[in-house]
Amino acid sequence: MTDLKWNVAKLLHEQLPTLNETDIYDMIEIPTNTDMGDYAFPCFKLAKELRKAPPIIAKDITDKLPETDFLASVQNVNAYINFFLNKEMLVKVIISNILLEKENYGIDNSKSKGNIVIDYSSPNIAKPFHVGHLRSTVIGNSLYRIFEALGYNCEGVNHLGDWGTQFGKLIVAYNNFSSKEQIEEKGISELLRIYVLFHEEAEKNPELDEQARAYFTKMEQGDTKTLELWKWFKQISLREFDRVYKLLDITFDSYNGEAFYNDKMAEIIDELDTHGLTEISEGAKIVKLDEYNMPPCLITKKDGSTLYATRDITAVLYRKNTYNFKKAIYVTALQQNLHFAQVFKVIEKMGYNWADELVHVPFGMVSMESGPLATRKGNVLLLEEILTQAIQKTTEIINEKNPSLKNKETVAKQVGIGAVIFNDMYNSIIKDVQFSWEKVLNFDGETGPYVQYTHARACSVLKKSGINKSDITEVNYSLLTDEMSVNLAKELGQFKNMIEEAGQKYEPSYIARYAVNVAQAFNKFYHENSILVEDKELKNARLSMVIATIYTLKNALYLLGIQAPVQM
Ligand code: ARG
């Protein structure tokens, strides 16, 4: 599709030599109503330069356009020039290209466009890994894959919340309410139990808070014994986070969390001071942001200790030095909008002209059918429970629909997890998500399982044909000019554009919706056209569409972080 749009742009450029081809290309629209052609070129913007009314310009150009083999017809309607593609050419350009690119369709593996750092997941040690973190994890992972597909090299950073006063509290709680054995055995749930208990007890006995503060100060001073406990808590937590990451099939290039910046902040605070950006307010060190209508950014507290923002400012500079990024992306809940706006402004005030390369990608909340999920109880266990429940429920569905399926366990895992991931990204991510099992696991709805199922169906048709993906080289495209084939081809041809848009808008939902569109177009094609027909040439042609669909759906699912089983 993309290619033929260039052909149209070229053709128009010959009539409009003062405009460059790329600008013309960008002006060309894809009409929602196919009666208006496959492409439409509006002439409104040309009126000023050509000093003619737009409908007259449109008519003049239409009259002058030469006949070409890729166009069936060109029609002038008011200020628009509507282009109707030659259907055979259209299908041919798209499908032959997919058959050529194969597994790489839509994916640029060059890593040649520079580095992008993506900060995602980033849970807090010994605090709940809640559904917000799950959302950050899957959205970040998808953006990672999308930008890699666009030709960038991505660095995935898990900016662990592994420093802060909670560790002082945890040490006190550990001393008073738990034991090494209990923590080794029960992991995060035990850490959470005693953390909550600490808060309850501290309300009655403020002395505990004092102790906690003292322990944290010890940590900050580098006391080996307390630091060993800290390390151990971190290990216990990471062990369990990793279980979730494994289930989701997600990895990171770096686990440099907040603690990593402990010895790097002093230098940055100095830099802020020398630039005259800091002032002291009630004992705290702040950077004022009045000119942006923002509250000041806190750099150090009265007692000299640093804050979340201090570590983030330091981390930005460290990442710029280490990765020389083209963009640094942060995926968090929208509650952190102000925090990132402040951090980015401080970087700008420090005189770094690349501050505009910093992007916060905020997302909305997830709630269960019965009340919000992101509560204190929402810990790593609950998350694992959601994922294992998804797998279990999928197993039940498979047992009912396809009891003799091979690799049932693997498929149930791929589909169950895929369903949860897909649900998080089907709508614009800024929107809140309502989590309902019925919706998530619906094999016929706009869901992950529906897309996976369509992919599996295409794979099974191909398998039945006994033909391999790479066997088909010669295709008679004149056999694929029926409405359903043309519509499917058009959909398939949009893949690259969709990835670009998803990247530009930081919206995996473009890919999710696209995958559903392709699946729907394929299912219509499939119902309308028998594929395994006697006529060899026709069978071949239709199979070429099946193969192109398999490549496209598999890659679209990949970009979302979802697997594509060949059978289900
Ligand atoms: N740990 C934070 C939280 O749970 C998220 C960190 C996001 N990344 C960052 N660089 N601040 O809310």
Side-chain angles (χ1 to χ4, degrees), residues 119 121-124 130 133 159-161 258 308 312 315 319 330-332 336 339-340:
D119 177 320
S121 196
S122 310
N124 302 317
H130 50 68
H133 293 120
H159 186 80
L160 294 172
E258 296 190 37
Y308 185 46
D312 257 326
R319 291 175 192 175
Y330 298 81
V331 187
T332 77
Q336 298 201 30
H339 165 74
F340 284 106

Side-chain angles (χ1 to χ4, degrees), residues 418-489:
V420 174
I421 296 180
F422 194 93
N423 181 62
D424 255 8
M425 290 187 284
Y426 185 65
N427 288 307
S428 173
I429 56 172
I430 198 78
K431 289 198 186 145
D432 290 349
V433 177
Q434 270 277 345
F435 192 94
S436 105
W437 280 119
E438 212 185 307
K439 210 175 72 198
V440 170
L441 290 177
N442 184 349
F443 277 48
D444 301 313
E446 286 148 353
T447 61
Y450 170 69
V451 176
Q452 287 172 314
Y453 189 66
T454 306
H455 170 268
R457 166 183 274 175
C459 289
S460 96
V461 178
L462 183 65
K463 194 169 173 210
K464 255 195 222 144
S465 76
I467 288 172
N468 284 318
K469 280 206 205 80
S470 45
D471 286 350
I472 294 188
T473 42
E474 290 293 306
V475 178
N476 181 350
Y477 290 102
S478 72
L479 301 174
L480 297 173
T481 56
D482 62 288
E483 191 190 346
M484 296 310 165
S485 302
V486 173
N487 283 347
L488 174 57

